[in-house]
Amino acid sequence: MSLTSDPPRGGPAVPAAPDAAGADTDEDGRLTVVPVRHPWRWLAVAATAVLLLQFAHGLATNPGWEWEVFAEFFTAEVILRAVWVTLQLTCYGTALGFGLGVVLAFMRLSASPFLRLVAHGYIWAFRSIPLIVQLLFWFNLAYLYDEIQFGIPFGPGFVSFDTMGLVGAMGAAVLGLALHQAAYAAEIVRAGVLSVDAGQLQAAASLGIPRLRQIRRIVLPQAMRSILPNAANEIISLFKGTSIVSVMAIGELFYQVQVIYGRNGRVVPLLMVATLWYVLLTTVLSVVQHHVEKRFAKGATP
């Protein structure tokens, strides 16, 4: 009788037996790896796919969508002009809002208690008041002030402008959107600046680099990595939020769609016209965001 555990030489192969834990092993004693099965995951995938197919089938076959009306108005001249107005409102609101937001952000980071208090008060006020109230206030500014004067504070004015002619519907919309956007942009920029290690500024100051150059060449390039995702979200929200200026009878996209379906009664296809334009332009903004983020992420990601 053999005293070893090895099988006799030349004898038949012994099949692998399960170990003490019940796992199968091969001839060398190694465990056999069995992939984890996820039956519920596949069930969820199948259910979701069925729902999506049903939705797509409804879009294609339900006559209530009136795709022929959609095709007629999607590239109509009045709709394209409205899209251009919407883009203008977005660009002006973004540029002015983030320009003022940068100033407010650095005021909040200032060593001056007065500047911090003013910036905090501005952000608190414009984040608290609904946007539609702000727009209507600027639209009715002439009710409070007949004219705006520039001159000596609390003294005589040298130059005056008629408020009604100075702040029209479009000007009031841009002003309201920009001032509202600035409150949110200030917090986004402030958070991005605070994400930069303070030790870098201390090192730059010890080298005698001017403060403005520190901000421009050291702080902002690094802060942009944190600022860009949130800033892009705010720009996209502003783009869709321009529909609120329809209360001021400005011919942006949603207002023109309302005017058209108020005349012909084709509500659903015209709402789809506005929806698809918003989706397309939001997709373009998202692609731009991706490439800008990729540019500022150089050197930070492997």
Side-chain angles (χ1 to χ4, degrees):
M1 176 182 293
S2 175
L3 298 179
T4 64
S5 59
D6 296 333
R9 294 183 180 181
V14 179
D19 62 1
D24 292 337
T25 58
D26 58 14
E27 295 181 358
D28 297 330
R30 292 175 298 184
L31 294 176
T32 303
V33 178
V34 178
V36 179
R37 295 175 175 84
H38 301 280
W40 292 108
R41 180 187 299 175
W42 287 107
L43 182 62
V45 169
T48 304
V50 170
L51 290 175
L52 290 175
L53 289 173
Q54 286 183 321
F55 179 71
H57 180 265
L59 286 178
T61 60
N62 190 337
W65 293 104
E66 299 183 90
W67 292 113
E68 66 281 358
V69 179
F70 169 88
E72 177 185 354
F73 285 99
F74 183 71
T75 56
E77 184 179 355
V78 64
I79 295 296
L80 295 179
R81 286 201 303 266
V83 171
W84 174 241
V85 173
T86 298
L87 290 175
Q88 285 181 304
L89 290 170
T90 304
C91 292
Y92 295 151
T94 298
L96 296 175
F98 274 88
L100 180 57
V102 170
V103 175
L104 290 169
F106 282 101
M107 286 175 64
R108 285 211 63 186
L109 296 170
S110 171
S112 169
F114 177 75
L115 293 179
R116 291 201 304 268
L117 180 62
V118 170
H120 181 75
Y122 178 97
I123 294 169
W124 167 77
F126 280 86
R127 289 199 303 184
S128 302
I129 303 173
L131 177 57
I132 189 171
V133 175
Q134 298 178 39
L135 291 172
L136 292 175
F137 172 80
W138 295 114
F139 187 61
N140 293 282
L141 185 63
Y143 175 78
L144 296 174
Y145 303 100
D146 295 331
E147 62 180 12
I148 298 177
Q149 293 184 348
F150 295 93
I152 300 175
F154 307 104
F158 303 125
V159 181
S160 62
F161 299 94
D162 179 51
T163 307
M164 185 66 71
L166 183 64
V167 183
M170 189 70 174
V174 171
L175 189 60
L177 291 173
L179 295 177
H180 180 79
Q181 187 71 16
Y184 294 91
E187 292 298 276
I188 292 173
V189 174
R190 183 174 72 92
V193 172
L194 291 176
S195 68
V196 180
D197 186 7
Q200 298 189 36
L201 292 179
Q202 296 173 359
S206 66
L207 294 174
I209 299 176
R211 179 68 175 175
L212 184 61
R213 190 175 181 184
Q214 293 177 29
I215 295 173
R216 184 170 56 89
R217 300 302 297 269
I218 298 175
V219 175
L220 287 181
Q222 297 181 76
M224 288 297 288
R225 297 168 188 164
S226 300
I227 291 173
L228 277 173
N230 296 320
N233 288 335
E234 280 299 314
I235 294 172
I236 291 173
S237 296
L238 177 64
F239 168 68
K240 295 181 294 184
T242 55
S243 60
I244 201 171
V245 305
S246 61
V247 300
M248 303 161 63
I250 296 176
E252 51 81 43
L253 180 58
F254 187 66
Y255 177 79
Q256 289 294 354
V257 164
Q258 286 180 305
V259 170
I260 296 172
Y261 74 60
R263 293 173 181 171
N264 61 16
R266 298 294 189 267
V267 178
V268 172
L270 283 161
L271 286 178
M272 286 300 297
V273 168
T275 299
L276 189 56
W277 272 114
Y278 283 124
V279 169
L280 289 175
L281 294 175
T282 300
T283 303
V284 172
L285 290 175
S286 300
V287 172
V288 173
Q289 171 194 354
H290 170 74
H291 288 288
V292 174
E293 284 185 16
K294 190 175 180 180
R295 172 182 173 82
F296 280 95
K298 289 181 178 179
T301 57

Short mmCIF file of all heavy atoms in Angstrom, two decimals, residues 211-233:
data_model
loop_
_atom_site.label_atom_id
_atom_site.label_comp_id
_atom_site.label_asym_id
_atom_site.label_seq_id
_atom_site.Cartn_x
_atom_site.Cartn_y
_atom_site.Cartn_z
N ARG A 211 0.03 90.29 -7.28
CA ARG A 211 -1.21 89.63 -6.90
C ARG A 211 -2.10 89.33 -8.11
O ARG A 211 -2.65 88.24 -8.24
CB ARG A 211 -1.97 90.52 -5.92
CG ARG A 211 -3.31 89.97 -5.45
CD ARG A 211 -3.15 88.76 -4.60
NE ARG A 211 -4.42 88.31 -4.06
CZ ARG A 211 -4.59 87.20 -3.36
NH1 ARG A 211 -3.55 86.42 -3.10
NH2 ARG A 211 -5.78 86.86 -2.90
N LEU A 212 -2.24 90.30 -9.03
CA LEU A 212 -3.08 90.10 -10.20
C LEU A 212 -2.56 88.98 -11.07
O LEU A 212 -3.33 88.17 -11.61
CB LEU A 212 -3.19 91.40 -11.00
CG LEU A 212 -4.12 91.37 -12.21
CD1 LEU A 212 -5.55 91.07 -11.76
CD2 LEU A 212 -4.09 92.71 -12.95
N ARG A 213 -1.25 88.90 -11.20
CA ARG A 213 -0.66 87.83 -12.01
C ARG A 213 -0.83 86.47 -11.33
O ARG A 213 -1.00 85.44 -12.00
CB ARG A 213 0.82 88.11 -12.25
CG ARG A 213 1.45 87.18 -13.29
CD ARG A 213 2.87 87.57 -13.59
NE ARG A 213 3.46 86.70 -14.59
CZ ARG A 213 4.73 86.77 -14.98
NH1 ARG A 213 5.53 87.69 -14.46
NH2 ARG A 213 5.19 85.94 -15.89
N GLN A 214 -0.79 86.44 -10.00
CA GLN A 214 -1.04 85.20 -9.28
C GLN A 214 -2.43 84.66 -9.62
O GLN A 214 -2.60 83.46 -9.87
CB GLN A 214 -0.95 85.43 -7.78
CG GLN A 214 0.44 85.78 -7.26
CD GLN A 214 0.41 86.07 -5.77
OE1 GLN A 214 -0.43 85.53 -5.04
NE2 GLN A 214 1.32 86.92 -5.32
N ILE A 215 -3.41 85.57 -9.62
CA ILE A 215 -4.79 85.16 -9.90
C ILE A 215 -4.92 84.69 -11.34
O ILE A 215 -5.56 83.67 -11.63
CB ILE A 215 -5.75 86.31 -9.59
CG1 ILE A 215 -5.73 86.63 -8.09
CG2 ILE A 215 -7.17 85.99 -10.06
CD1 ILE A 215 -6.51 87.87 -7.72
N ARG A 216 -4.31 85.44 -12.25
CA ARG A 216 -4.50 85.17 -13.68
C ARG A 216 -3.73 83.94 -14.15
O ARG A 216 -4.24 83.17 -14.98
CB ARG A 216 -4.06 86.40 -14.49
CG ARG A 216 -4.30 86.29 -15.99
CD ARG A 216 -4.06 87.65 -16.65
NE ARG A 216 -2.75 88.18 -16.37
CZ ARG A 216 -1.65 87.94 -17.08
NH1 ARG A 216 -1.73 87.16 -18.15
NH2 ARG A 216 -0.50 88.48 -16.75
N ARG A 217 -2.52 83.71 -13.63
CA ARG A 217 -1.68 82.64 -14.14
C ARG A 217 -1.62 81.41 -13.23
O ARG A 217 -1.20 80.34 -13.69
CB ARG A 217 -0.25 83.17 -14.37
CG ARG A 217 -0.15 84.32 -15.34
CD ARG A 217 -0.71 83.94 -16.71
NE ARG A 217 0.04 82.87 -17.30
CZ ARG A 217 1.08 83.03 -18.11
NH1 ARG A 217 1.47 84.26 -18.42
NH2 ARG A 217 1.71 81.99 -18.63
N ILE A 218 -2.01 81.53 -11.98
CA ILE A 218 -1.89 80.41 -11.05
C ILE A 218 -3.26 79.93 -10.57
O ILE A 218 -3.59 78.75 -10.66
CB ILE A 218 -1.00 80.78 -9.84
CG1 ILE A 218 0.42 81.12 -10.31
CG2 ILE A 218 -0.98 79.66 -8.82
CD1 ILE A 218 1.33 81.61 -9.21
N VAL A 219 -4.08 80.88 -10.08
CA VAL A 219 -5.34 80.50 -9.46
C VAL A 219 -6.38 80.07 -10.49
O VAL A 219 -6.92 78.96 -10.45
CB VAL A 219 -5.88 81.64 -8.58
CG1 VAL A 219 -7.25 81.28 -8.03
CG2 VAL A 219 -4.91 81.93 -7.44
N LEU A 220 -6.68 80.96 -11.43
CA LEU A 220 -7.78 80.70 -12.36
C LEU A 220 -7.57 79.47 -13.24
O LEU A 220 -8.52 78.69 -13.44
CB LEU A 220 -8.05 81.94 -13.22
CG LEU A 220 -8.73 83.10 -12.50
CD1 LEU A 220 -8.98 84.26 -13.44
CD2 LEU A 220 -10.05 82.66 -11.87
N PRO A 221 -6.37 79.23 -13.81
CA PRO A 221 -6.22 78.00 -14.61
C PRO A 221 -6.53 76.72 -13.83
O PRO A 221 -7.07 75.77 -14.40
CB PRO A 221 -4.76 78.05 -15.05
CG PRO A 221 -4.41 79.50 -15.05
CD PRO A 221 -5.16 80.07 -13.89
N GLN A 222 -6.19 76.68 -12.55
CA GLN A 222 -6.49 75.49 -11.75
C GLN A 222 -7.94 75.49 -11.28
O GLN A 222 -8.59 74.45 -11.22
CB GLN A 222 -5.56 75.44 -10.53
CG GLN A 222 -4.09 75.31 -10.91
CD GLN A 222 -3.21 75.24 -9.68
OE1 GLN A 222 -3.15 74.21 -9.01
NE2 GLN A 222 -2.54 76.34 -9.37
N ALA A 223 -8.44 76.68 -10.95
CA ALA A 223 -9.83 76.76 -10.48
C ALA A 223 -10.82 76.41 -11.58
O ALA A 223 -11.93 75.95 -11.29
CB ALA A 223 -10.11 78.17 -9.95
N MET A 224 -10.44 76.62 -12.84
CA MET A 224 -11.35 76.34 -13.94
C MET A 224 -11.77 74.87 -13.97
O MET A 224 -12.87 74.55 -14.45
CB MET A 224 -10.71 76.72 -15.27
CG MET A 224 -10.59 78.22 -15.50
SD MET A 224 -12.18 79.04 -15.57
CE MET A 224 -12.77 78.48 -17.15
N ARG A 225 -10.94 73.98 -13.48
CA ARG A 225 -11.31 72.56 -13.46
C ARG A 225 -12.53 72.33 -12.57
O ARG A 225 -13.34 71.44 -12.86
CB ARG A 225 -10.13 71.72 -12.97
CG ARG A 225 -8.91 71.80 -13.88
CD ARG A 225 -7.69 71.20 -13.20
NE ARG A 225 -6.48 71.43 -13.97
CZ ARG A 225 -5.26 71.28 -13.50
NH1 ARG A 225 -5.08 70.90 -12.24
NH2 ARG A 225 -4.21 71.53 -14.25
N SER A 226 -12.64 73.10 -11.50
CA SER A 226 -13.81 72.98 -10.63
C SER A 226 -14.96 73.86 -11.08
O SER A 226 -16.13 73.54 -10.85
CB SER A 226 -13.42 73.34 -9.19
OG SER A 226 -12.41 72.50 -8.69
N ILE A 227 -14.63 74.97 -11.74
CA ILE A 227 -15.66 75.94 -12.13
C ILE A 227 -16.45 75.45 -13.33
O ILE A 227 -17.68 75.59 -13.38
CB ILE A 227 -15.00 77.31 -12.43
CG1 ILE A 227 -14.47 77.93 -11.14
CG2 ILE A 227 -15.99 78.25 -13.10
CD1 ILE A 227 -13.66 79.19 -11.38
N LEU A 228 -15.76 74.86 -14.30
CA LEU A 228 -16.39 74.56 -15.60
C LEU A 228 -17.63 73.66 -15.52
O LEU A 228 -18.65 73.99 -16.12
CB LEU A 228 -15.36 73.96 -16.55
CG LEU A 228 -14.48 74.97 -17.28
CD1 LEU A 228 -13.39 74.27 -18.06
CD2 LEU A 228 -15.33 75.83 -18.21
N PRO A 229 -17.60 72.53 -14.81
CA PRO A 229 -18.81 71.69 -14.80
C PRO A 229 -20.04 72.41 -14.25
O PRO A 229 -21.12 72.36 -14.85
CB PRO A 229 -18.41 70.51 -13.90
CG PRO A 229 -16.93 70.47 -13.98
CD PRO A 229 -16.49 71.89 -14.08
N ASN A 230 -19.87 73.12 -13.13
CA ASN A 230 -21.00 73.85 -12.56
C ASN A 230 -21.40 75.04 -13.41
O ASN A 230 -22.60 75.35 -13.55
CB ASN A 230 -20.65 74.33 -11.15
CG ASN A 230 -20.42 73.17 -10.19
OD1 ASN A 230 -21.13 72.18 -10.23
ND2 ASN A 230 -19.41 73.28 -9.35
N ALA A 231 -20.41 75.72 -14.00
CA ALA A 231 -20.73 76.86 -14.86
C ALA A 231 -21.49 76.41 -16.10
O ALA A 231 -22.45 77.07 -16.53
CB ALA A 231 -19.44 77.58 -15.27
N ALA A 232 -21.10 75.27 -16.67
CA ALA A 232 -21.81 74.76 -17.84
C ALA A 232 -23.25 74.42 -17.49
O ALA A 232 -24.17 74.67 -18.28
CB ALA A 232 -21.09 73.54 -18.39
N ASN A 233 -23.46 73.83 -16.33
CA ASN A 233 -24.84 73.54 -15.90
C ASN A 233 -25.66 74.81 -15.77
O ASN A 233 -26.85 74.85 -16.14
CB ASN A 233 -24.82 72.79 -14.56
CG ASN A 233 -24.34 71.36 -14.71
OD1 ASN A 233 -24.44 70.78 -15.78
ND2 ASN A 233 -23.81 70.80 -13.64
#
